[in-house]
Amino acid sequence: MSTTPDNAVRAYVADHRGTFLDALADWLRIPSVSADPERAGDVRRSAEWLAAELADTGFPTAEIWETEGDGLPAVFAEWPSGDPSAPTVLVYGHHDVQPAAREDGWHTDPFEPRTVDGRLYARGAADDKGQVFFHTLGVRAHLAATGRTAPAVNLKLLIEGEEESGSPNFPALVRTHADRLACDAVIVSDTGMWAADTPTVCTGMRGLTDCQIDLFGPDQDIHSGSFGGAVPNPATEAARLAAALHDDDRRVAVPGFYDGVIELTDRERELFAELPFDEAAWLRTAHSHAALGEAGSTTLERIWARPTAEVNGISGGYQGPGGKTIVPAAAQLKLSFRLVAGQDADAVQKSVRDWVAARLPAGIRHEITFWGATRPCLTPLDHPALRSVVRAMERAFGQTVRFTREGGSGPAADLQDILDVPVLFLGISVPSDGWHAPNEKVELDLLMKGVETAAHLWGDLAENWRPGTA
């Protein structure tokens, strides 16, 4: 089997670029905002549109999958290779989008796509409809360039309808359909690159668990002159907890927090250091004035590969104008913990509960509420499927591909855990695309590079990887 010819792919993509973009624009006109109950019909219409488009692409199976209760639909598609030894690959993305309105600062209607200077502006252009849709032209180019009638891999797609609302029904959906979603690897096309002139592959995402700690002292607010200094103050204890969260080296001070952490290798540190990182420019993006974090780690290492704890909010007592001399009855602390490969979210939650209980004095009652957890995921640099992704991107972009990680979290870890397969990331979006912001856009030339990458990927995987080799 030979990999897909570069020139044939590029020619096919160029010939079909116009019709591809016209179809994408039609999809972008559907305001599939999952967070707005009044848009539930539009989310369903988006799913129906995509299922029909995938059937037209050639997928023998293209179905709408319902989620629990009044959840929003996902789309599943499947195209068998016909080769019993071929890998099975599942592509993940989402078809719902963030809310958007002209008054938010959009130059034009966010659901009326417009093309300006090689950029397509619309809500969902990059996050994530554009990056989902490039797989349709990619598989067509793969077939046309190789003369195949089916992909070189067993190709499946799962396109979610609730990602922008926190994927509340996604784990249950994956468990319900685990047999049909069975695969050897997952490709997530809901991520980005370092920059247009620096193509990169993401190799991991951090996990997340967050909580609210409610502290209770006196049964009501009491006079600080008559009682202050003689009874415990819940606002003071909230502040003491927040202050104790890190040690002098900015490491998280919760005992057991770092248990199991997979440390960066020297090679991974070198790969991070190869990226053209401008800390001053990064600080401007962060609207911040200095970098600060765990001693011994660079800024990129801190946001991509180190676990963290953040105080998201602290409140308690009187917040009105002027003073009010009280010992408040209650206070509240909100914390979030970003987790890296090797950490267990349940164990971290237990460690936090034990730490809080041990630090609070008698007379302070407390309640801790955790809002679930997202597990971290990490792709080994030497995994053969990752090497295929890198080679496919390098053929499309014509230059060396470097490596990043993502500091945020997403549903990729659910696929990794439930299906017990590696997760890889293939995205072409760049930071200026403005995900979740007014005037979201996608760079059309980069979108076509995504198409070419997908076209090369299936043949490379089939030629260079067989299940069970990694």
Side-chain angles (χ1 to χ4, degrees), residues 23 40 42 50 55 58 110 181 237 272 280 283 309 335 358 375 393 409-410 459 470:
D42 291 315
L50 178 58
L181 294 171
E237 296 309 318
F272 285 2
L283 284 169
L335 305 177
R375 296 177 63 84
M393 284 194 74
S409 306

Side-chain angles (χ1 to χ4, degrees), residues 321-371:
K324 186 177 183 182
T325 53
I326 60 168
V327 175
Q332 186 182 89
L333 191 62
K334 292 180 184 286
L335 305 177
S336 64
F337 302 88
R338 296 287 174 171
L339 312 178
V340 299
Q343 285 181 294
D344 179 79
D346 292 339
V348 168
Q349 291 180 7
K350 183 180 184 303
S351 294
V352 172
R353 291 183 187 277
D354 293 345
W355 175 75
V356 171
R359 295 197 67 87
L360 294 177
I364 293 290
R365 296 173 293 109
H366 74 284
E367 297 175 358
I368 302 182
T369 303
F370 280 92
W371 296 295

Side-chain angles (χ1 to χ4, degrees), residues 96-119:
D96 64 319
V97 299
Q98 281 279 312
R102 181 73 182 270
E103 55 267 27
D104 296 337
W106 286 78
H107 296 153
T108 57
D109 184 339
F111 296 105
E112 185 49 54
R114 60 191 175 94
T115 299
V116 180
D117 297 331
R119 301 180 175 105

Side-chain angles (χ1 to χ4, degrees), residues 6 39 50 58 60 82 86 130 148 196 219-220 267 298 349 410 429 453:
D6 293 27
R39 294 293 191 186
L50 178 58
R148 297 181 60 94
D219 293 334
Q220 64 179 40
R267 178 56 179 154
T298 67
Q349 291 180 7
S429 183
T453 300

Side-chain angles (χ1 to χ4, degrees), residues 435-459:
W435 291 26
H436 298 198
N439 303 303
E440 177 186 347
K441 55 86 176 172
V442 68
E443 302 282 340
L444 293 181
D445 286 347
L446 294 183
L447 191 62
M448 296 304 111
K449 295 298 184 186
V451 173
E452 292 183 31
T453 300
H456 295 310
L457 178 57
W458 311 134

Side-chain angles (χ1 to χ4, degrees), residues 13-58:
V13 172
D15 288 345
H16 293 82
R17 174 174 172 144
T19 54
F20 166 80
L21 293 177
D22 288 344
L24 174 58
D26 287 342
W27 195 20
L28 292 170
R29 291 188 180 97
I30 302 175
S32 50
V33 180
S34 60
D36 184 352
E38 295 185 359
R39 294 293 191 186
D42 291 315
V43 178
R44 180 166 297 278
R45 188 158 58 97
S46 171
E48 292 169 347
W49 186 96
L50 178 58
E53 187 68 26
L54 292 173
D56 287 345
T57 297

Side-chain angles (χ1 to χ4, degrees), residues 30 54 56 78 90 184 241 249 319 366:
I30 302 175
L54 292 173
D56 287 345
E78 183 174 13
L90 173 67
D184 300 301
L241 283 175
D249 289 328
Q319 304 293 325
H366 74 284

Side-chain angles (χ1 to χ4, degrees), residues 171-204:
L173 181 73
V174 176
R175 290 189 184 97
T176 297
H177 298 285
D179 288 347
R180 296 191 67 188
L181 294 171
C183 59
D184 300 301
V186 173
I187 302 289
V188 174
S189 284
D190 185 23
T191 185
M193 306 191 307
W194 180 265
D197 59 355
T198 308
T200 54
V201 172
C202 176
T203 61

